[in-house]
């Protein structure tokens, strides 16, 4: 194998695939990236056996061939080469080492045979649809912060992606994530073909890689979903992942329907006040008490060991005065997803979950469970 490739093109392709590689693995070849040189292109593949990322770049190939090389080291070497450099990759058939040459720099990396590298095969009967990259990024951003990190409840360790019916009966593509303490939901009009999607749980790591893949992309993303896998195609890049085999809970039962006490506050002022007051909250619970009455919201923390703090901001509220506690981090996570100048809280009572809405975006909803304070 021998080829020449522009450093920027190689770095872009490597950056798309090398994040998949687990730094600590008991299977040596899983630390490697598969390099396949064919006429006019270099194809790169990385996998951890649950996710596979493929990307390619234009290259001048003088000797076609394939080999695997350490993904992290190769990425670091290419990243540190001068911008605009022409990089030559050559596999020495005798030493079986990959030589990387750029200007006066030369590196040799150990390799493993390409034949030992395992790749994933797509499933039959997949649901396929196209979606604008920015729309797909929005569905992820509005919900992924609520993904559970508790491994025992593995079915919550991802985003639930499915077709649903909106209140007006139209088909929507919806993402939902919850950790049992808060829930985030986002939706958009279902793209053609997506209305057949029955519902799958996309793992947290895959969600992160998919978001990185579509970052700044202006074109459509093609998505294929089967019973066991999801495949995303964005330009030359392809991301394939296994799905979480489990049943996502009936989230509709958690979304409050009868919350009639409405509080409207300036979102930036609310976010800043929560951030300041929570500085003295106990690290584990991060609880903040909200005392809401006509025209006023007081945020307070009072902890025997860490101290006390309170702040008052203006609020629109016409119901009976109420005190309710929340985890400050959960409030900050939700506030960061509100695009309107104001945020709306719909309360029922101090022991019931609150519904949080963005006045400018009816397609996103957030639910947060209260704390005893």
């Amino acid at each position: 194998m021998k080829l020449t490739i522009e450093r920027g093109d190689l770095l872009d392709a490597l950056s798309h695939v090398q994040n998949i590689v687990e730094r600590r693995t008991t299977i040596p070849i899983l630390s490697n990236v598969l390099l396949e040189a064919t006429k006019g292109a270099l194809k790169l593949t990385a996998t951890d056996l649950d996710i596979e990322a493929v990307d390619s770049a234009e290259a001048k190939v003088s000797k076609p061939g394939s080999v695997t090389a350490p993904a992290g080291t190769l990425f670091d070497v290419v990243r540190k080469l001068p911008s605009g450099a022409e990089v030559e990759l050559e596999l020495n058939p005798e030493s079986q080492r990959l030589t990387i040459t750029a200007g006066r720099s030369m590196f040799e990396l150990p390799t493993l045979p390409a034949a030992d590298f395992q790749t994933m095969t797509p499933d039959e009967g997949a649901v396929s649809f196209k979606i604008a990259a920015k729309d797909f990024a929005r569905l992820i951003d509005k919900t992924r912060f609520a993904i559970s990190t508790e491994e025992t409840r593995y079915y919550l360790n991802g985003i639930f992606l499915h077709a649903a019916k909106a209140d007006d009966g139209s088909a929507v593509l919806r993402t939902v994530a919850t950790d049992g303490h808060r829930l985030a939901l986002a939706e958009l009009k279902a793209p053609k073909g997506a209305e057949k999607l029955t519902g799958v749980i996309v793992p947290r790591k895959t969600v992160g890689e998919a978001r990185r893949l579509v970052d700044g992309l202006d074109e459509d993303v093609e998505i294929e979903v089967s019973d066991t896998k999801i495949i995303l195609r964005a330009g030359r890049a392809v991301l394939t992942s296994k799905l979480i085999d489990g049943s996502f809970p009936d989230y509709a039962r958690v979304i409050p329907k009868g919350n009639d006490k409405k509080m409207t506050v300036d979102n930036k002022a609310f976010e800043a006040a929560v951030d300041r007051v929570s500085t003295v909250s106990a690290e584990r619970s991060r609880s903040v008490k909200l005392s809401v009455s006509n025209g006023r919201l007081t945020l307070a923390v009072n902890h025997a060991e860490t101290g006390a703090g309170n702040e008052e901001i203006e609020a629109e509220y016409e119901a009976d005065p109420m005190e309710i506690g929340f985890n400050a981090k959960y409030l900050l996570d939700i506030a960061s997803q509100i695009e309107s100048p104001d945020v709306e809280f719909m309360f029922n009572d101090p022991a019931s979950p609150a519904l949080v809405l963005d006045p400018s975006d009816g397609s996103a909803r957030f639910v947060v469970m209260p704390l005893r304070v």
Side-chain angles (χ1 to χ4, degrees), residues 114-371:
D116 296 344
F117 195 89
Q118 295 183 43
T119 56
M120 296 172 78
T121 54
D123 293 344
E124 296 293 322
V127 173
S128 177
F129 58 92
K130 289 184 178 180
I131 182 172
K134 61 179 176 51
D135 289 339
F136 186 61
R138 180 185 159 278
L139 287 177
I140 292 174
D141 289 342
K142 294 284 182 186
T143 53
R144 68 169 167 171
F145 67 86
I147 294 174
S148 175
T149 55
E150 195 180 319
E151 297 300 333
T152 53
R153 301 169 80 185
Y154 66 94
Y155 50 87
L156 298 183
N157 294 161
I159 282 179
F160 187 48
L161 175 69
H162 62 299
K165 284 275 191 288
D167 294 338
D168 61 3
S170 61
V172 292
L173 182 64
R174 184 179 288 172
T175 50
V176 182
T178 181
D179 60 6
H181 305 289
R182 62 214 170 135
L183 179 144
L185 178 153
E187 63 190 24
L188 49 78
K189 183 182 176 184
K192 186 179 178 183
E195 64 277 351
K196 300 172 187 172
L197 186 59
T198 53
V200 294
I201 308 171
V202 185
R204 186 197 310 106
K205 183 176 177 180
T206 308
V207 169
E209 291 305 320
R211 181 62 182 87
R212 192 178 287 111
L213 194 64
V214 301
D215 195 33
L217 205 65
D218 291 329
E219 56 196 272
D220 285 353
V221 180
E222 187 180 335
I223 299 176
E224 281 183 31
V225 185
S226 68
D227 291 340
T228 59
K229 292 192 187 81
I230 182 168
I231 302 174
L232 285 88
R233 292 186 175 87
R236 287 178 173 229
V238 182
L239 184 70
T240 305
S241 170
K242 292 179 182 177
L243 298 166
I244 292 176
D245 183 14
S247 298
F248 201 77
D250 182 8
Y251 64 87
R253 293 191 302 117
V254 181
I255 301 172
K257 301 289 192 292
N259 288 19
D260 55 0
K261 297 180 176 70
K262 180 179 175 182
M263 179 185 76
T264 305
V265 293
D266 179 285
N267 187 53
K268 292 296 179 194
F270 175 75
E271 188 175 14
V274 171
D275 191 31
R276 280 191 290 269
V277 171
S278 66
T279 306
V280 292
S281 67
E283 196 56 43
R284 190 169 173 210
S285 67
R286 298 287 307 276
S287 61
V288 173
K289 182 169 72 174
L290 277 59
S291 302
V292 57
S293 57
N294 195 11
R296 188 174 73 229
L297 168 65
T298 303
L299 299 101
V301 168
N302 194 343
H303 194 269
E305 294 177 10
T306 56
N310 69 77
E311 185 166 338
E312 189 178 289
I313 59 175
E314 294 180 2
E316 291 179 30
Y317 182 78
E318 296 176 357
D320 295 334
M322 190 175 76
E323 291 185 348
I324 188 168
F326 294 108
N327 182 308
K329 183 182 184 304
Y330 297 169
L331 294 178
L332 293 172
D333 284 342
I334 292 172
S336 70
Q337 294 304 321
I338 303 295
E339 295 170 24
S340 169
D342 295 329
V343 58
E344 291 178 0
F345 284 78
M346 305 298 294
F347 300 118
N348 183 15
D349 60 57
S352 301
L355 179 64
V356 188
L357 303 171
D358 185 339
S360 66
D361 182 8
S363 63
R365 278 164 278 173
F366 309 96
V367 178
V368 59
M369 298 293 290
L371 293 173

